[in-house]
Amino acid sequence: MSFKKTYPYSNIEMLPGDILYSTIGRSTYYVGHTVIVGSDYTMKEAIPGKPSGHTLTAEQFWHRHHPGDQITLLRSKSGANEAAKWATDHLHLVKEYTVLNHNIESIEKNYCSKLIVQAYYYGANVKLTNYLNRFISPQFLKRTKRLEKIAVFLKA
């Protein structure tokens, strides 16, 4: 029997490598935020604080949001399982949160959307952007045609 997990308060299946984009608002300090679902079905993220590489459950992620917040589920057509495994295996290397380090090779100094681009690039050889060594905003991941928009959840 295969293991199926769904997103909180939905019947949509959670898949390793899924990317969740949180809308710009109070809960994301007005910049937007992205997490990737790891191979263990937990959310992997780079956030301010120690440790910067952080894991949380789907329920914890969900309850961090405020009523009215939107969470967009994005899915890659290829490389998702490999990206999820890379994110899961390398998250502990993320030591410092900074949006100022644009070097794609630097895992230690990181931020949310860069971590996801790295996971796909290094884990699955999938480029979510042609411009790897520049700031990659969470909104870029939401808008790129390289990811398919599967659902939008509205936090009640």
Side-chain angles (χ1 to χ4, degrees):
M1 192 176 110
S2 69
F3 170 75
K4 273 196 176 174
K5 186 164 170 53
T6 57
Y7 286 100
Y9 313 105
S10 87
N11 59 0
I12 297 174
E13 188 178 357
M14 182 185 292
L15 297 176
D18 278 355
I19 298 164
L20 293 165
Y21 169 84
S22 301
T23 197
I24 296 171
R26 248 182 17 228
S27 14
T28 63
Y29 304 102
Y30 299 95
V31 293
H33 185 57
T34 49
V35 301
I36 184 170
V37 177
S39 49
D40 58 359
Y41 290 86
T42 62
M43 312 290 159
K44 310 297 179 189
E45 64 181 355
I47 55 170
K50 304 280 184 220
S52 181
H54 190 247
T55 297
L56 66 169
T57 66
E59 290 73 23
Q60 287 171 321
F61 175 75
W62 187 264
H63 292 296
R64 191 165 72 185
H65 292 80
H66 299 289
D69 283 355
Q70 284 188 349
I71 302 166
T72 304
L73 169 57
L74 304 163
R75 206 165 265 169
S76 176
K77 291 171 182 59
S78 62
N81 285 322
E82 296 83 352
K85 182 174 178 356
W86 189 94
T88 303
D89 293 348
H90 292 82
L91 189 70
H92 70 280
L93 299 172
V94 178
K95 301 297 183 205
E96 185 185 331
Y97 178 88
T98 176
V99 295
L100 302 177
N101 186 311
H102 302 164
N103 179 357
I104 197 70
E105 292 175 15
S106 171
I107 298 168
E108 190 175 313
K109 294 176 193 277
N110 222 317
Y111 58 93
C112 66
S113 33
K114 177 181 167 185
L115 179 69
I116 292 167
V117 169
Q118 286 173 320
Y120 273 90
Y121 183 65
Y122 290 114
N125 201 24
V126 171
K127 276 179 148 184
L128 296 179
T129 172
N130 290 332
Y131 306 102
L132 294 170
N133 287 301
R134 69 161 58 159
F135 176 69
I136 302 149
S137 71
Q139 295 90 326
F140 172 84
L141 291 179
K142 183 184 175 196
R143 291 189 197 116
T144 180
K145 299 282 182 256
R146 297 175 194 199
L147 295 171
E148 191 179 348
K149 193 179 290 185
I150 302 296
V152 176
F153 304 108
L154 184 64
K155 174 74 190 282

